[in-house]
Each structure stands twice: as C-alpha cells, then as structure tokens.
Amino acid sequence: MKRITFLTILGFCFSAIFTFTVSAKTEFTYANFFPPTHVQSQLAESWIKEVEKRTNGEISIKYFPAGTLAKGPQIYDGVATGLADIGMTVLAYTRGRFPISEGIDLPLGYESGTQATKVANAVLNKFQPEEFNDTRLMFLHAHGPGLIHTTDKKVASIEDMKGLKIRAHGTSGLIVGALGGSPVGTGMGECYQMLQKGVVEGSMHPAEANKGWKLGEVVKYMTANHPVGYTTTFAVMMNKDKWNALSPQNQKIIKEINEEWIEKHAKAWDDIDVAGIEFFKSKGGEIIPLADGEADRWKAAVAPIIDGYIKKANEKGVDGKVVVDFIKANM
C-alpha cells in the first residue's frame, strides 16, 4: 500500500514537472497580409524559424499569412491590443497615423528596395518616433520604386493620366491625384480582381507585385516613372506586453535577428523587382518610357505632395522639413 502511494506521488511529481516545462514555453502568433507564396511572407516564416532555433525552442510562433488572423489595415492595432502577438503590415494603410514615418513614402525618386529600406531604418533610428509607442517595433523595410501600371491605356505623359481610375493608397493615392488620375484606395489583396473586372484601369505598385501578386497577368503597360518613384514602408512589430515579458537574453537574440532580416528583406525587394519585370514581360507587358522633359513635369506635379506632408507634419508637432531633409541626405 505504501509502495503504491509512493509511486502515485512520484508520478504526480513527474507530471507536475512536465507540465511546468511545457507551460514555460512562450507561444506567440504572427499576423501577415502577404500570401504565403510571396517572398516577403516566406521571409517572415524564416524569421520565425530563426527565432525558434536561436531560443532553443523557448519561443514558439504560429504563423497566419494572407490576412487569416487580421487584415492588413487591422494588423497594427491587432498587435497593440493583443489580437496578434507579432505582425507585419503597411503603414500607409492608416494614412496620417504615423506622421514621421509617412515621410519615407514620399515620391523622392527611390531607385531600389535596398535604398528605401536603408532610409526607413535610418529615420527610425534617428527620430525614435513616438507614433509606435503602443507596440514594440522590430524593424522597417520598404519596396523599390512604385510605378504606374495600366490595363489598356499607355501612360507616357501627364495628359495620359487624366481621369484614369488607379488603385492606390496612402502616398501613392496622392501621386495619382496630383498627376490627374482618380485614386481608388484599397489593399493589394483586392487589386487583381479589380484590374481583371475593370473596376480600376490601373494600379500603382512596385514591379515585384507583377509576380508576387500575379498582377502581371492583368496589366499590359508599365510606366517608367522612376523620377517620382515612391516607396511603401512595411513594419514588423510585437505586442509591447509580450515583448516586456521576454527574458533579456531572448530580447537580445531577437534584436540580433532583426538586424539580419532588415538586409534580407531589402535584398529580397530588389531581387523580386527583377523577377517581377521578367514575369511582366513574359506575359506580353510593355514598359513605357517618359518622353524627353516629361520627368521634370512629373516632379513639378508631385512637389505639392512633399510640401503638403511638411505642413501636416508640422501641425502634428513634427518638423516635417527636418524629416524630408534627413531622408534626402540619406538616399
């Protein structure tokens, strides 16, 4: 009888130890709007695996791509409130909310994703924006130059833009309006069908989206409007309480991984821009150059966007000119 009691107690102790070991494991959720086939989604997954590996399994992360846990525009607030523990989203989905970071997206003539990502993180490190204080920001990355794509009409001049319905959001929507088009604000997830069904006549997006989002199947023309190329800033963030609950060692590990993944995301944007152009051409797409002197006209047309940003930033207590000057100096 005593032996049975002893074995029972011993078994209970082992069970308790096992339960404690399991419960000591930290489990997170990661929300992303990119489809799982997109390289930026795959990089998010590889980030997850690296975190799990370097923390020796102390951290486990369940991944939810393609808006399955939260849609793109809801991800930042979702992380802040705890709907998701970690997230990746587009800051421009909530225009006006991030006044310092919004300056990164301006049509300043970006040439590559590497350049744009470098600028984005330089702004983050320089200004330490309070606009992100309700989450723990991991890092930023940004795509290569956003270009005009159309389904049926070639756009080689400002006049060609008049009245065209172009899917665009955030800064890209302002650019479309400044060039005489009609911006239609919606996320990338709806873009393919809108182009396919003729709801819009074009879209402003980087070349990579022609393959990454298959938009090269439904657009025929790409305008080489690089002189006014904008970017879109993407943020990876963690719920503040969940971050603060991590051990200093695991926080250090994640910070180190973040620095490595900034470079990976930047290079990926450039690589997939090349792939996107090749895919676009393979579907019969045609690249339309800007005529002589047209670039200066486009720059003049979008200049009020930059001035407008400075004014609105000032109204929110941010020295917009300082932000813009810093960005230009770091491009």
Side-chain angles (χ1 to χ4, degrees), residues 217-278:
E217 296 176 350
V218 287
V219 292
K220 297 178 184 176
Y221 306 108
M222 176 196 300
T223 303
N225 55 277
H226 296 83
V228 295
Y230 71 97
T231 188
T232 297
T233 306
F234 300 79
V236 179
M237 77 295 298
M238 182 182 288
N239 178 273
K240 208 168 185 177
D241 291 337
K242 295 298 177 68
W243 171 261
N244 291 335
L246 292 174
S247 68
Q249 180 182 1
N250 283 340
Q251 288 181 350
K252 181 175 181 291
I253 289 170
I254 292 175
K255 287 178 183 178
E256 291 171 351
I257 296 171
N258 289 344
E259 289 300 315
E260 296 170 24
W261 256 248
I262 289 172
E263 295 184 11
K264 290 178 182 290
H265 281 283
K267 184 178 183 302
W269 282 121
D270 291 340
D271 290 345
I272 57 181
D273 263 354
V274 173
I277 290 172
E278 292 175 352

Side-chain angles (χ1 to χ4, degrees), residues 34 36 51 59 78 105 125 156 160 214 267 271 291 294 296 303 314 316 318:
F34 278 110
V51 169
I59 295 176
D105 294 1
N125 294 330
D160 295 333
K214 304 299 182 185
K267 184 178 183 302
D271 290 345
E294 191 67 22
D296 290 336
N314 290 345
K316 294 185 178 182
V318 173

Side-chain angles (χ1 to χ4, degrees), residues 283-312:
K283 297 297 181 181
E286 179 183 350
I287 298 176
I288 310 298
L290 293 182
D292 292 342
E294 191 67 22
D296 290 336
R297 296 181 66 209
W298 287 51
K299 287 181 181 179
V302 303
I305 296 174
I306 300 170
D307 295 337
Y309 163 76
I310 292 173
K311 181 181 178 181
K312 288 182 179 179

Side-chain angles (χ1 to χ4, degrees), residues 41-42 46 79 95 130 151 165 177 184-185 217 257 267 280 283 291 295 298 300 305 317 325 329:
S41 177
Q42 293 166 0
S46 66
V79 172
R95 193 170 72 193
E130 293 183 0
T151 53
K165 290 186 292 182
V184 178
E217 296 176 350
I257 296 171
K267 184 178 183 302
F280 172 75
K283 297 297 181 181
W298 287 51
I305 296 174
D325 288 346

Side-chain angles (χ1 to χ4, degrees), residues 34-53:
F34 278 110
T37 54
H38 196 288
V39 68
Q40 297 298 341
S41 177
Q42 293 166 0
L43 275 172
E45 286 192 272
S46 66
W47 180 91
I48 288 170
K49 292 176 181 177
E50 196 66 16
V51 169
E52 293 177 338
K53 175 184 174 183

Side-chain angles (χ1 to χ4, degrees), residues 13-26:
C13 290
F14 275 119
S15 176
I17 292 170
F18 176 77
T19 301
F20 175 79
T21 302
V22 171
S23 64
K25 187 175 185 179
T26 302

